C-alpha cells in the first residue's frame, strides 16, 4: 500500500474514479436520439345528410325500408376514424325488443341499432362507429328499417311501421394528409378531387399587379376548375408576391410567373432556371411539404396563356413533375349553344345522354323512388304559346297479375303533366300486340307513350320526374284474419332510348335579365368558350378585383361545363367600344355609361343613386312580361358601409349586345360580391336589371325598358309584340281583311 496520502483521500479518489467509469460506460451503451418524426396534418370532417344530398328527412317504411348515404374521401387523404351520428325518431307502435335498424358500410354489416321502450316516438341521437379500414374514395352507408309492430300476422304496409331519419344526421371522419409525389399524371389532384363535395378554394399567386395576359391565363385556368367544380362552386383568393401561409389543412395553390416577373420564392435561378417556352411544374410548398404548388411558367404572357389552355383541355397527356407545352392550337371553333352542360336543342335527345350515374333510370319496390332527370336549357329558348315539347317515353315494369290502378305519372318542375296506366298480364283479354310485346320483354311490359310537355313549364333548369305507382293488396288485411303474403319484387325502368325533342325552337329573350346571368351565365355563356365576351378590368387591379374576375369566370364555366379559352380582356373603355362582343365590367362604371338612358343605378365614392322600379318577383314570373317599367322615384345617398351591385343594360356600341357590370369599390364591397357569386341561395335572388348586395342580403328590381336579343321569323315577331296590344292587333287584322277584299273584288 502506498504511503504519504491519508486513507480518506484515497477513498474519495477511488469513488470518483468508479463514478466516472460508470458514466462513461452508460454513455457508450445509451441509444442515440431518434430524429423527430414530422407531424402529419390531421383534422375532423363532419358532413350532415343534408350536405350529402338529402335535402329533407327520410321516412323509412315497411314497404320502402332502405336509404343510402353516399360520401367520398379525397384520394390525397386517409380516414383514420369514422362514426355515424344518427338522429332518428322511431314509430311509437314498434316492438322495443326487436332492433329496427341495420347499418351497413360498403355492403358490410356494421351494427344493429336497438331501441328502448322509452325511446319509441321520441327523437333519438346515437353515435355508431364505422370501420375505417373499409373506407375508400367512394363509400355508401345503407340504413335498413327492419322494425315490427307485432310478432305474428304482420302487414308490411301497416301505418305504424315507420322510422323518420333526420337530415341533420352526420357522417363524422378524422382525416390525415397523404404525402404525394410531384406527378402531373394525377392532375387535377390535389388541386381538385371529384369526391370532395365541399366548395373548391384555390389560391392564385402573382409576382405583383398582374398584366392583362397574366389575368387571362389565370381566368382560363379558373374556368377549368370552375367547370370541374360545377354545383360545388369555386373561389380563387389572389395573393401578390407570397404563397398562402401554412394551414391546418393542406392547401394547394397556383403560381403564374414569366422569366421577368417572378414571385420572390422563385428568385433562385439555380433551382428555377428561366424557361424557353410554356411550361407547367408541380413542386412542394417551401414551408409545407404536405401542400403542392402548380407553377405556370413562360417567357411572356402568351406562353402563360398557352400553358393554361393546354392544362385546361389536354392534361390527359401530362405525366411527371415537369411538362413542356410544344403546341396548343384550337382545331374547331365552338358553336352557339353547344355548352356540354346544356341539353341539345338542335335534335331529339336520348335519355342516355342525360344520365348523371348508372342505373339512374331503374327503380324497385312497391313504392319506388321517382326517376328524375335534369334538363339544363339556354334561358333564351323561345317557347311562347307553343303547343308543347314532344316527349317520347319508353318504359318497362313488372306487370301486375291483373289490371288495377297502377300508373306512371310524369311531371316537369313539380307540375303534373300526365299519367299512363300500367296494364296487367290478363290473358283473357290479351291481344296479339300484347303477346308480341310479352315475347320481346319476358315478364315485363314495354310501352311507348308520346306526350306534349307544356312549353311554359320549361325554364333554364328543369326537373323531369317519372313516378311509378303500383297498386297492392298489402295493407288490406282484415281483423282476426291472419294471412301472410310476401311482396313481389317489383321493378321498373325508363328506357334510355326515350327522347325529348327541343329542336325547331328559336332563341329570343327580353333583356336585361340578371336571373339569366346568375343561373346560366347568359348572355356570356351563349358561346361556351366565352369567345364573344370581353372583360373590362381596372388598369391596376387589386387582388380582390382579380379574385372577382376569377370567381365570375369560374362560375360561368361551372354553368356551361367548358373552359373560357376564347375570353379576352382589356383595361381601356375605348378598346371595348370597338369590339363586337358582350361586355363584362368589373370595378366601376366609366363616365361614358353614367348618362346611359337605361342605367338604373350608379355607385360612386361620393354619392350613390338608384331609380326605384318594380320588384323582380319570383323566378320565371316575368318571363314574357316585356313592358317598360318607369322609375317611380330617384334616391341618392352617401354612406360608408359596404355595398355592391350587379346591373345589366344594353350595349351602346353594338345591337344585340349587352353590358353586365359587377360594381364595387372597397375590399369589403368585393367581399360581399364574391360571397354572393359563390352562394347558390343568394344567386337565386339575383334578377331584373339591378341587384343590390348588402350585409342584410340581396334585393333585385327591374326599371327601364327591355331590349331583345335573338331572332324570330317576321310573322312570329309581329304576333309576339302585338299580343300585348289587342286593340291595335284587331285594327291591323280588319285593315288586312279589307285590303284583301278590295284586291280580289271583281272589277
Amino acid at each position: 500500500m502506498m504511503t504519504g496520502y491519508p486513507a480518506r483521500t484515497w477513498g474519495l479518489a477511488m469513488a470518483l474514479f468508479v463514478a466516472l467509469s460508470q458514466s462513461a460506460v452508460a454513455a457508450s451503451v445509451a441509444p442515440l436520439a431518434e430524429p423527430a418524426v414530422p407531424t402529419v396534418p390531421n383534422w375532423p370532417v363532419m358532413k350532415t345528410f343534408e350536405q350529402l344530398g338529402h335535402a329533407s328527412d327520410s321516412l323509412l317504411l315497411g314497404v320502402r325500408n332502405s336509404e343510402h348515404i353516399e360520401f367520398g374521401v379525397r384520394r390525397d387523404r386517409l380516414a383514420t376514424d369514422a362514426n355515424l351520428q344518427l338522429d332518428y325518431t322511431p314509430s311509437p307502435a314498434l316492438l322495443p325488443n326487436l332492433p329496427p335498424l341495420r347499418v351497413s358500410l360498403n355492403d358490410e354489416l356494421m351494427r344493429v341499432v336497438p331501441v328502448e321502450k322509452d325511446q319509441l316516438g321520441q327523437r333519438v341521437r346515437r353515435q355508431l362507429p364505422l370501420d375505417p379500414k373499409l373506407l375508400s374514395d367512394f363509400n355508401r352507408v345503407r340504413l335498413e328499417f327492419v322494425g315490427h309492430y307485432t310478432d305474428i300476422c304482420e302487414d308490411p304496409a301497416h301505418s305504424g311501421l315507420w322510422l323518420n331519419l333526420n337530415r341533420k344526421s352526420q357522417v363524422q371522419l378524422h382525416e390525415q394528409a397523404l404525402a404525394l409525389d410531384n406527378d402531373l399524371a394525377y392532375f387535377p389532384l390535389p388541386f381538385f378531387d371529384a369526391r370532395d363535395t365541399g366548395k373548391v378554394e384555390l389560391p392564385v399567386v402573382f409576382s405583383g399587379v398582374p398584366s392583362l395576359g397574366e389575368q387571362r391565363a389565370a381566368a382560363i385556368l379558373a374556368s377549368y376548375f370552375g367547370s370541374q367544380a360545377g354545383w360545388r362552386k369555386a373561389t380563387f383568393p389572389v395573393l401578390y408576391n407570397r404563397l398562402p401561409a401554412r394551414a391546418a389543412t393542406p392547401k394547394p395553390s397556383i403560381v403564374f410567373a414569366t422569366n421577368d416577373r417572378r414571385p420572390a420564392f422563385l428568385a433562385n435561378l439555380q433551382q428555377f432556371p428561366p424557361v424557353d417556352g410554356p411550361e407547367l411544374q408541380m413542386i412542394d410548398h417551401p414551408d409545407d411539404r404536405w401542400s403542392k404548388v402548380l407553377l405556370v411558367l413562360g417567357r411572356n404572357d402568351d406562353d402563360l396563356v398557352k400553358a393554361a389552355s393546354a392544362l385546361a383541355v389536354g392534361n390527359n397527356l401530362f405525366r411527371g413533375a415537369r411538362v413542356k407545352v410544344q403546341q396548343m392550337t384550337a382545331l374547331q371553333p365552338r358553336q352557339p349553344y353547344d355548352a356540354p352542360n346544356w341539353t341539345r336543342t338542335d335534335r331529339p335527345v336520348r335519355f342516355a345522354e342525360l344520365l348523371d350515374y348508372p342505373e339512374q333510370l331503374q327503380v324497385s319496390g312497391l313504392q319506388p323512388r321517382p326517376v328524375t332527370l335534369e334538363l339544363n336549357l339556354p334561358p333564351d329558348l323561345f317557347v311562347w304559346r307553343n303547343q308543347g315539347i314532344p316527349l317520347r317515353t319508353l318504359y318497362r315494369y313488372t306487370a301486375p297479375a291483373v289490371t288495377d290502378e297502377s300508373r306512371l305519372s310524369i311531371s316537369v318542375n313539380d307540375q303534373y303533366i300526365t299519367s299512363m296506366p300500367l296494364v296487367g298480364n290478363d290473358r283473357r283479354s290479351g291481344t296479339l300486340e300484347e303477346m308480341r310485346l310479352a315475347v320481346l320483354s319476358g315478364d315485363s311490359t314495354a310501352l311507348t307513350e308520346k306526350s306534349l310537355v307544356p312549353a311554359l313549364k320549361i325554364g333554364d333548369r328543369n326537373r323531369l320526374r317519372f313516378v311509378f305507382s303500383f297498386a297492392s293488396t298489402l295493407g288490406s288485411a282484415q281483423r282476426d284474419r291472419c294471412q301472410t303474403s310476401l311482396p313481389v319484387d317489383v321493378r321498373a325502368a325508363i328506357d334510355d332510348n326515350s327522347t325529348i325533342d327541343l329542336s325547331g325552337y328559336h332563341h329570343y329573350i327580353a333583356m336585361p335579365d340578371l336571373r339569366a346571368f346568375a343561373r346560366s351565365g347568359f348572355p356570356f355563356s351563349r358561346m361556351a368558350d366565352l369567345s364573344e365576351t370581353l372583360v373590362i378590368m381596372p388598369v391596376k387591379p387589386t387582388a380582390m378585383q382579380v379574385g372577382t374576375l376569377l370567381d365570375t369566370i369560374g362560375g360561368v364555366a361551372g354553368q356551361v361545363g367548358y373552359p373560357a379559352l376564347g375570353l379576352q380582356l382589356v383595361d381601356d373603355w375605348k378598346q371595348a367600344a370597338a369590339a363586337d362582343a358582350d361586355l363584362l365590367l368589373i370595378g366601376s362604371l366609366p363616365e361614358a355609361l353614367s348618362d346611359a338612358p337605361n342605367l338604373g343605378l350608379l355607385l360612386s365614392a361620393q354619392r350613390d343613386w338608384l331609380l326605384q322600379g318594380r320588384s323582380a318577383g319570383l323566378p320565371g314570373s316575368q318571363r314574357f312580361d316585356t313592358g317598360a317599367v318607369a322609375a317611380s322615384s330617384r334616391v341618392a345617398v352617401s354612406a360608408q358601409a359596404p355595398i355592391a351591385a350587379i346591373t345589366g343594360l344594353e350595349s351602346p356600341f353594338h345591337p344585340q349586345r349587352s353590358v353586365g357590370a359587377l360594381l364595387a369599390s372597397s375590399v369589403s364591397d368585393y367581399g360581399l360580391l364574391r360571397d354572393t357569386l359563390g352562394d347558390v341561395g343568394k344567386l337565386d335572388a339575383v334578377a331584373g336589371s339591378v341587384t343590390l348586395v348588402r350585409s342584410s342580403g340581396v334585393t333585385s328590381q327591374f326599371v327601364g325598358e327591355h331590349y331583345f336579343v335573338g331572332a324570330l321569323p317576321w310573322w312570329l315577331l309581329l304576333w309576339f309584340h302585338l299580343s300585348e296590344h289587342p286593340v291595335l292587333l284587331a285594327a291591323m287584322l280588319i285593315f288586312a281583311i279589307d285590303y284583301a277584299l278590295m284586291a280580289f273584288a271583281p272589277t
Side-chain angles (χ1 to χ4, degrees):
M1 185 175 184
M2 297 182 64
T3 59
Y5 294 96
R8 181 181 179 185
T9 303
W10 278 105
L12 290 173
M14 290 299 295
L16 180 60
F17 175 77
V18 171
L20 291 174
S21 300
Q22 291 176 347
S23 300
V25 172
S28 63
V29 299
L32 297 176
E34 296 182 0
V37 178
T39 303
V40 179
N42 59 90
W43 55 89
V45 175
M46 291 180 291
K47 294 287 187 181
T48 65
F49 288 4
E50 186 176 21
Q51 292 172 320
L52 295 173
H54 295 260
S56 58
D57 293 356
S58 299
L59 184 63
L60 305 182
L61 305 172
V63 292
R64 189 174 58 193
N65 66 336
S66 65
E67 187 65 85
H68 294 87
I69 310 299
E70 298 172 346
F71 64 96
V73 178
R74 288 179 59 105
R75 286 180 288 173
D76 58 349
R77 297 176 183 176
L78 176 67
T80 59
D81 190 27
N83 292 281
L84 193 63
Q85 181 73 40
L86 286 181
D87 187 339
Y88 60 94
T89 303
S91 166
L94 297 180
L95 296 178
N97 58 331
L98 297 176
L101 200 61
R102 284 201 297 251
V103 180
S104 301
L105 172 63
N106 295 335
D107 297 326
E108 292 280 346
L109 181 64
M110 291 287 99
R111 181 155 306 202
V112 178
V113 181
V115 60
E116 306 297 332
K117 186 174 182 180
D118 58 351
Q119 295 176 339
L120 296 176
Q122 305 296 319
R123 188 169 177 177
V124 181
R125 293 179 177 87
R126 186 185 296 271
Q127 186 164 353
L128 307 176
L130 302 176
D131 189 353
K133 295 190 293 295
L134 296 176
L135 295 177
S136 62
D137 59 338
F138 176 77
N139 306 280
R140 176 179 291 167
V141 171
R142 177 183 171 90
L143 301 169
E144 189 176 6
F145 175 58
V146 290
H148 298 274
Y149 69 92
T150 183
D151 53 357
I152 58 173
C153 297
E154 185 177 64
D155 187 346
H158 193 277
S159 60
L161 278 178
W162 59 265
L163 183 142
N164 186 77
L165 191 63
N166 196 287
R167 62 185 180 278
K168 298 301 181 183
S169 301
Q170 296 180 350
V171 174
Q172 301 174 345
L173 304 176
H174 199 89
E175 298 180 352
Q176 72 176 36
L178 292 176
L180 298 179
D181 294 334
N182 293 323
D183 192 347
L184 289 168
Y186 297 105
F187 188 84
L189 282 176
F191 307 94
F192 170 77
D193 192 324
R195 299 300 189 194
D196 189 352
T197 58
K199 187 175 183 178
V200 177
E201 183 176 343
L202 198 55
V204 177
V205 180
F206 301 97
S207 62
V209 177
S211 65
L212 288 174
E214 289 175 312
Q215 294 176 57
R216 183 188 175 201
I220 290 174
L221 209 49
S223 69
Y224 165 76
F225 286 108
S227 67
Q228 298 295 308
W231 53 268
R232 301 171 184 84
K233 297 293 184 181
T235 186
F236 305 90
V238 173
L239 305 173
Y240 289 170
N241 202 30
R242 63 183 178 89
L243 286 170
R246 182 171 182 172
T249 304
K251 184 176 293 184
S253 54
I254 302 176
V255 176
F256 291 86
T258 62
N259 290 340
D260 298 331
R261 292 169 52 85
R262 292 187 167 203
F265 79 96
L266 291 179
N268 189 339
L269 295 181
Q270 292 184 350
Q271 185 178 2
F272 302 103
V275 297
D276 56 2
E279 189 171 302
L280 297 152
Q281 187 175 349
M282 185 187 293
I283 64 172
D284 293 333
H285 190 292
D287 302 323
D288 184 5
R289 65 181 295 260
W290 306 99
S291 296
K292 299 298 181 182
V293 179
L294 177 65
L295 303 180
V296 184
L297 307 173
R299 297 163 298 181
N300 48 43
D301 291 352
D302 290 340
D303 282 354
L304 296 183
V305 172
K306 290 179 181 177
S309 301
L311 192 67
V313 298
N315 57 69
N316 290 336
L317 295 173
F318 290 3
R319 68 269 191 198
R322 191 172 184 175
V323 173
K324 291 186 177 182
V325 179
Q326 303 294 338
Q327 184 180 8
M328 175 59 204
T329 305
L331 299 180
Q332 201 169 30
R334 304 293 300 192
Q335 299 298 318
Y337 308 106
D338 68 349
N341 284 356
W342 286 357
T343 304
R344 297 288 297 267
T345 59
D346 58 346
R347 59 169 175 78
V349 177
R350 296 172 58 241
F351 284 10
E353 303 175 58
L354 305 175
L355 298 183
D356 295 321
Y357 56 89
E359 300 181 1
Q360 183 175 346
L361 299 178
Q362 301 184 37
V363 293
S364 61
L366 281 176
Q367 294 185 7
R369 59 173 178 81
V371 175
T372 304
L373 290 173
E374 299 290 338
L375 297 173
N376 295 324
L377 301 176
D380 65 341
L381 198 67
F382 188 80
V383 290
W384 177 75
R385 292 190 179 178
N386 193 276
Q387 292 183 350
I389 296 173
L391 175 67
R392 182 171 180 262
T393 307
L394 295 90
Y395 54 99
R396 302 184 300 276
Y397 58 94
T398 302
V402 296
T403 299
D404 50 25
E405 295 301 317
S406 299
R407 308 188 73 80
L408 169 63
S409 300
I410 303 176
S411 62
V412 174
N413 300 333
D414 297 326
Q415 299 294 319
Y416 172 77
I417 302 299
T418 187
S419 63
M420 286 84 70
L422 303 179
V423 297
N425 286 336
D426 189 348
R427 295 185 179 181
R428 292 171 297 178
S429 60
T431 64
L432 180 61
E433 183 179 3
E434 287 185 359
M435 292 177 63
R436 290 175 58 191
L437 288 172
V439 170
L440 293 174
S441 57
D443 62 347
S444 302
T445 301
L447 293 178
T448 301
E449 290 288 344
K450 289 185 178 180
S451 305
L452 288 178
V453 180
L456 292 182
K457 302 291 190 239
I458 295 295
D460 50 357
R461 298 178 187 174
N462 304 275
R463 180 178 295 108
L464 187 60
R465 176 171 292 187
F466 302 88
V467 180
F468 288 92
S469 301
F470 293 101
S472 174
T473 57
L474 291 175
S476 59
Q478 300 178 7
R479 185 177 180 85
D480 301 327
R481 180 181 177 185
C482 181
Q483 181 177 357
T484 301
S485 61
L486 295 177
V488 177
D489 183 18
V490 178
R491 296 179 179 270
I494 302 295
D495 195 281
D496 56 11
N497 287 315
S498 302
T499 60
I500 184 168
D501 189 357
L502 294 155
S503 60
Y505 291 90
H506 304 284
H507 294 273
Y508 194 70
I509 187 173
M511 297 287 283
D513 186 352
L514 292 182
R515 177 168 286 116
F517 168 72
R519 297 168 67 87
S520 301
F522 192 85
F524 312 105
S525 56
R526 177 178 173 272
M527 301 295 292
D529 60 353
L530 272 61
S531 56
E532 294 185 1
T533 296
L534 183 66
V535 180
I536 301 100
M537 293 292 295
V539 176
K540 292 184 178 180
T542 64
M544 285 297 287
Q545 288 172 330
V546 178
T548 303
L549 165 69
L550 303 185
D551 288 2
T552 304
I553 301 303
V556 174
Q559 299 287 352
V560 300
Y562 193 79
L565 302 178
L567 181 70
Q568 298 295 325
L569 285 82
V570 297
D571 55 10
D572 184 358
W573 183 251
K574 294 181 180 179
Q575 289 180 295
D580 183 11
D582 293 303
L583 306 180
L584 177 62
L585 175 69
I586 295 177
S588 58
L589 287 173
E591 294 183 2
L593 285 181
S594 60
D595 297 328
N598 52 348
L599 182 64
L601 168 80
L602 182 65
L603 299 181
S604 64
Q606 293 79 24
R607 187 179 67 167
D608 311 326
W609 61 258
L610 171 69
L611 297 179
Q612 295 288 349
R614 180 190 63 201
S615 174
L618 299 174
S621 61
Q622 309 295 335
R623 181 173 177 83
F624 295 111
D625 185 358
T626 59
V629 178
S632 59
S633 61
R634 173 171 170 153
V635 179
V637 301
S638 177
Q640 301 299 320
I643 187 172
I646 306 173
T647 187
L649 62 153
E650 185 177 10
S651 173
F653 311 116
H654 297 276
Q656 298 259 326
R657 292 298 185 184
S658 303
V659 177
L662 307 178
L663 306 179
S665 300
S666 65
V667 171
S668 54
D669 294 348
Y670 283 103
L672 285 175
L673 189 57
R674 296 177 68 178
D675 180 61
T676 300
L677 293 173
D679 189 309
V680 175
K682 293 180 179 179
L683 278 178
D684 281 341
V686 176
S689 62
V690 174
T691 294
L692 285 175
V693 184
R694 296 173 294 172
S695 56
S696 59
V698 179
T699 57
S700 299
Q701 68 168 32
F702 184 89
V703 62
E705 295 185 356
H706 286 280
Y707 63 97
F708 294 87
V709 173
L712 292 176
W714 69 267
W715 53 269
L716 186 57
L717 182 67
L718 184 65
W719 180 259
F720 173 64
H721 286 284
L722 289 180
S723 63
E724 298 179 357
H725 308 281
V727 176
L728 180 59
L729 181 60
M732 291 186 63
L733 288 175
I734 293 173
F735 175 78
I737 293 173
D738 289 342
Y739 179 80
L741 291 175
M742 292 175 60
F744 294 98
T747 59

